[in-house]
Amino acid sequence: MAAEPEAGEWFLRYFAPGELDRLEQFPVRIPTGHEFGLLGLLGAWHTHVRRLREDLELADSDPSACGVHDLVTALVLRDFVDRGITTLGTERTAGVDAALADADARFRSLTEEDGTERLALAEPEVEGRVTKNWWWRRIPLSGPARRELDRIATREQEGRTEGH
């Protein structure tokens, strides 16, 4: 498996230096009231997807492994990217679209549809988001976060079976 580039190198595939500066200065306000540059949010989404790929082969006991909370953090971050892209409006460029399409395609390739809503079982506050954006309906193909989700779903299923 070839290593994914760091965000800085990845940006150079899609953005000229002037556009990098403009996107870094483009403010995206998140629900806490804080503002982040759109470029930083795109880079963080790329980094989370890169991390998901690295985690696919990790053991649950690996101290660097990401769990379900880390997955939720990544998906919230993708919400922020979406907010920023929407806010760009007419300033949206082909580079922004291509960079986001690349990161999203890699995310899709590392995940699958969550047909049993394991993520909502694990993190109840996620439930309402599942219907809003496609990324909330996807879970990793393998790795520690996926196994954690599977264990939660199994416990939930066993609880329903015992309750009947």
Side-chain angles (χ1 to χ4, degrees):
M1 180 167 25
E4 295 288 334
E6 295 286 340
E9 181 184 333
W10 179 72
F11 287 146
L12 296 178
R13 294 179 181 176
Y14 301 102
F15 305 112
E19 190 174 11
L20 286 172
D21 292 340
R22 185 179 68 82
L23 290 173
E24 186 51 49
Q25 298 305 314
F26 189 87
V28 179
R29 185 176 299 277
I30 64 170
T32 63
H34 292 90
E35 284 187 353
F36 294 94
L38 180 56
L39 187 70
L41 292 172
L42 271 170
W45 173 237
H46 162 80
T47 299
H48 276 279
V49 171
R50 183 176 184 243
R51 180 58 211 229
L52 177 63
R53 182 178 182 187
E54 293 168 359
D55 272 16
L56 291 178
E57 304 299 322
L58 290 182
D60 294 355
S61 60
D62 190 310
S64 67
C66 292
V68 172
H69 294 301
D70 300 300
L71 176 61
V72 169
T73 298
L75 300 177
V76 167
L77 180 65
R78 179 59 179 83
D79 285 346
F80 297 160
V81 170
D82 193 55
R83 179 183 298 231
I85 298 289
T86 300
T87 306
L88 264 179
T90 59
E91 294 182 55
R92 193 166 169 175
T93 65
V96 169
D97 288 342
L100 184 58
D102 174 57
D104 284 350
R106 285 184 295 110
F107 178 74
R108 282 187 179 101
S109 76
L110 302 170
T111 60
E112 65 185 359
E113 281 287 325
D114 180 12
T116 58
E117 296 188 13
R118 284 169 270 208
L119 194 53
L121 285 173
E123 299 285 337
E125 73 276 2
V126 164
E127 197 165 357
R129 296 175 186 222
V130 171
T131 58
K132 291 181 185 172
N133 296 307
W134 63 265
W135 50 91
W136 285 101
R137 293 185 298 275
R138 300 196 64 85
I139 57 175
L141 294 171
S142 63
R146 173 56 183 265
R147 289 186 293 275
E148 184 180 348
L149 288 167
D150 290 345
R151 284 190 299 273
I152 290 166
T154 299
R155 279 196 306 269
E156 181 72 19
Q157 186 61 38
E158 289 169 353
R160 283 193 210 135
T161 305
E162 291 172 9
H164 282 203

